Amino acid sequence: MDRREPAGRQIAELGLLRVLHVAAELYPWVKSGGLGDVAAALPPALSTFGIDVRLLLPGFAGFLDAFTGITDVARLRTPYAVERVRIGLARVPGSAPLAYLADHSGFYDRPGSPYADPDGRDWPDNHRRFGLFGWVAAELARGADPSWRPEILHIHDWHAGLAPAYLSARRPDSNHVTTVFTVHNLAYQGLFPAVLFPELALPPEFFSIDGVEFNGAVSFIKSGLFYADRLTTVSPTYAREIQTPAFGCGLEGLLRSRSHELTGILNGVDPSIWDPRHDPILPQSYGAENAASGKRAAKAALQRRLGLADCDDGPLFGVVSRLTPQKGLDLLLACFPEIIADGSRIAILGSGDGDLEQGFARAAAEHNREIAVEIGYDEALSHLIIAGADAVLLPSRFEPCGLTQLYALRYGTLPVVRRVGGFADTVVDATAVTLADGSATGFAFDDESPAALMSAIRRADVLFREPAVWLRMMHQAMAQDFSWSAAARRYLSVYRELRPDLAP
Ligand code: ADP
């Protein structure tokens, strides 16, 4: 990536497009889901197109400890009581872009996840932690770093959703900046009680239906959706779905009213992290030409690692997921008895909802040779499951884009998905037609029910026992190209539409 840096710098010197990406997560240091992967992959992909990209991150310990040579760019007095915020600048280790860090002592740098204490309770001052984060983004857009001022502020998810509101409040002197707001998951909204609104230092009239107010509360995501100049989300199907009551989380009216300014752009896969040809976790690297033997070796290693009985003649189903209602894994729990009765195995890695964790752990204790469950977050095991499973189970209630099915396709592991969001856009269901024309890459179902999931699992089971058909599907899956370069090209068109005067 560093090889591209001089070209990027030259273009910056010529004064071409400067874009600041604002995200609360960045793989591998801080990640609770797909947002961290996207923040790590999209900016470097954009810089290969000559965009001068930087990131803004909160000063979480994960970043402060990992980034070396952080230099002070500014110390700003904030409208948040008397607090000052330090803006540091450092190179993202192993990557081309530079990152600003918004740092205020004890504010971001806390134990637990980025958003919650070690017991899983949201920090009570999250409105100020992330309000300030959005405020810093707006200040950088207004020139807080005199040596680098972005022309486009690209904000990800609710965490920095107030940034466009702050810019709007400071018009006309922030008119030169254009804002893009990307929704990675509409269900996470950053909702706070109305009594906290005065602490956010926004004009009182911004707390209204034409502003940050949502059902009597302050909504950070609504701020992004309302005040940003352009909206994107992470798949074309999800872009349509969120304009409907079933998926719009109450924001479908606003999204419908901005339909012509909303674009769905699929995420990509970072091949430096997810590629069976160069994955150090695998016992044997493989590509399409030796997929069958490579996957056999991975399956054996996975079974050994998890203490599962060998099941060469039946499929091993994998799950790598946050255990939240969104992911629909309660449907899977109800299918366990039938899956085991069919002679299949299940390997699950995940953490989250206590009831689901306990339900899975109980099932694994009762059937420890057929079902393996690891509760926790484990990058290495996630790679082994994606490679070693024959199919991955993804029964999500909704799925903005989904990365797991993209990784699985690349590894020749066939996804069993509910036909929603990004799953609908990336997995081709095995039907008589798609099997005949060779386009089938997985199994899709519609109803949100254990019976519908089980029927898709059964279809997978049947085809698994026809090795030639399965291998053909594996090859077709591995031939899919979900590159960040394609995604970056689409974001570039959005930037061009917004700023035709500036585009390279
Ligand atoms: P979401 O962002 O809704 O969690 P995505 O499919 O977009 O779903 O992204 C999930 C990412 O997190 C993937 O990279 C997946 O491999 C990873 N992941 C989820 N749970 C775990 C876990 N327990 N251990 C390791 N990786 C996980």
Side-chain angles (χ1 to χ4, degrees):
M1 268 181 251
D2 281 335
R3 270 182 290 119
R4 298 191 289 259
E5 219 187 298
R9 231 188 345 250
Q10 260 171 25
I11 286 162
E13 278 155 16
L14 291 173
L16 296 183
L17 194 59
R18 290 184 298 276
V19 182
L20 179 63
H21 279 257
V22 188
E25 301 183 15
L26 183 70
Y27 173 88
W29 301 284
V30 176
K31 168 176 155 175
S32 70
L35 170 64
D37 294 306
V38 176
L42 179 58
L46 283 167
S47 46
T48 65
F49 287 98
I51 302 285
D52 184 10
V53 193
R54 292 190 180 183
L55 280 152
L56 169 64
L57 305 164
F60 293 132
F63 299 134
L64 296 177
D65 294 346
F67 291 20
T68 51
I70 303 174
T71 53
D72 267 14
V73 169
R75 277 173 194 272
L76 306 176
R77 186 182 290 279
T78 83
Y80 281 67
V82 290
E83 286 151 356
R84 274 178 186 277
V85 65
R86 180 172 83 106
I87 304 179
L89 183 65
R91 184 161 299 285
V92 176
S95 182
L98 291 167
Y100 293 101
L101 290 154
D103 185 20
H104 176 68
S105 176
F107 217 48
Y108 300 111
D109 178 4
R110 296 177 185 175
S113 85
Y115 319 112
D117 68 19
D119 294 326
R121 281 183 302 254
D122 283 352
W123 293 107
D125 58 350
N126 270 353
H127 63 293
R128 292 197 301 133
R129 297 174 82 218
F130 294 102
L132 180 62
F133 184 51
W135 181 86
V136 170
E139 288 304 299
L140 279 167
R142 298 177 63 245
D145 176 358
S147 69
W148 194 90
R149 183 172 174 160
E151 282 120 344
I152 291 180
L153 196 60
H154 190 149
I155 301 137
H156 298 270
D157 273 352
W158 71 265
H159 317 109
L162 290 194
Y166 287 120
L167 285 173
S168 228
R170 299 294 289 264
R171 291 205 199 285
D173 66 327
S174 50
N175 269 350
H176 68 287
V177 174
T178 316
T179 48
V180 178
F181 184 66
T182 295
V183 177
H184 296 264
N185 191 333
L186 194 66
Y188 296 92
Q189 303 193 337
L191 290 177
F192 301 100
V195 289
L196 301 177
F197 177 74
E199 294 182 33
L200 301 175
L202 283 167
E205 66 275 17
F206 278 39
F207 189 72
S208 75
I209 188 161
D210 287 327
V212 305
E213 187 269 339
F214 179 65
N215 291 339
V218 178
S219 168
F220 277 37
I221 203 162
K222 188 181 165 210
S223 165
L225 296 176
F226 184 81
Y227 289 105
D229 299 304
R230 263 305 281 268
L231 307 176
T232 76
T233 190
V234 287
S235 69
T237 295
Y238 193 58
R240 286 191 298 277
E241 286 172 345
I242 57 179
Q243 298 177 51
T244 68
F247 295 91
C249 306
L251 291 160
E252 60 275 8
L254 172 56
L255 285 159
R256 254 197 321 274
S257 75
R258 303 204 60 188
S259 190
H260 56 294
E261 294 159 318
L262 168 64
T263 310
I265 301 175
L266 276 174
N267 290 331
V269 174
D270 185 344
S272 70
I273 301 164
W274 291 98
D275 183 352
R277 288 182 188 280
H278 308 283
D279 189 329
I281 302 298
L282 306 191
Q284 180 189 313
S285 53
Y286 63 90
E289 68 292 348
N290 59 344
S293 71
K295 280 193 63 66
R296 232 185 344 266
K299 184 171 176 177
L302 178 61
Q303 289 171 164
R304 260 196 319 277
R305 159 82 166 76
L306 296 175
L308 287 169
D310 288 347
C311 64
D312 290 342
D313 48 354
L316 169 58
F317 293 105
V319 172
V320 178
S321 183
R322 291 183 298 116
L323 303 181
T324 62
Q326 170 193 341
K327 300 296 179 180
L329 292 165
D330 47 313
L331 307 179
L332 175 62
L333 196 54
C335 296
F336 275 180
E338 286 177 79
I339 296 175
I340 298 173
D342 288 348
S344 307
R345 308 279 182 266
I346 308 165
I348 297 178
L349 167 64
S351 66
D353 182 276
D355 286 346
L356 268 179
E357 285 186 0
Q358 282 162 24
F360 285 141
R362 240 190 333 267
E366 279 166 27
H367 305 278
N368 64 354
R369 302 287 286 155
E370 291 86 21
I371 302 173
V373 174
E374 293 261 332
I375 301 299
Y377 192 92
D378 184 335
E379 285 284 338
L381 181 56
S382 78
H383 281 243
L384 193 56
I385 292 179
I386 295 296
D390 297 298
V392 288
L393 302 177
L394 295 156
S396 298
R397 296 200 155 79
F398 64 95
E399 194 58 62
C401 173
L403 293 171
T404 312
Q405 88 281 13
L406 303 184
Y407 303 151
L409 289 166
R410 216 182 153 86
Y411 280 64
T413 305
L414 306 186
V416 178
V417 297
R418 181 145 181 261
R419 208 183 322 258
V420 287
F423 290 164
D425 294 327
T426 56
V427 177
V428 179
D429 186 31
T431 62
V433 173
T434 61
L435 285 169
D437 69 17
S439 62
T441 57
F443 306 88
F445 64 98
D446 290 298
D447 285 357
E448 185 190 315
S449 70
L453 169 59
M454 196 58 223
S455 128
I457 289 174
R458 283 250 157 82
R459 288 198 288 126
D461 197 341
V462 167
L463 287 193
F464 182 79
R465 290 162 208 279
E466 292 188 44
V469 178
W470 191 268
L471 188 62
R472 186 164 180 220
M473 285 181 72
M474 274 170 57
H475 284 156
Q476 179 66 9
M478 294 176 85
Q480 303 305 300
D481 178 19
F482 298 106
S483 71
W484 273 110
S485 172
R489 226 181 265 282
R490 296 205 175 90
Y491 282 104
L492 205 58
S493 335
V494 169
Y495 297 162
R496 282 207 178 106
E497 282 164 32
L498 277 172
R499 300 297 296 254
D501 54 320
L502 294 168

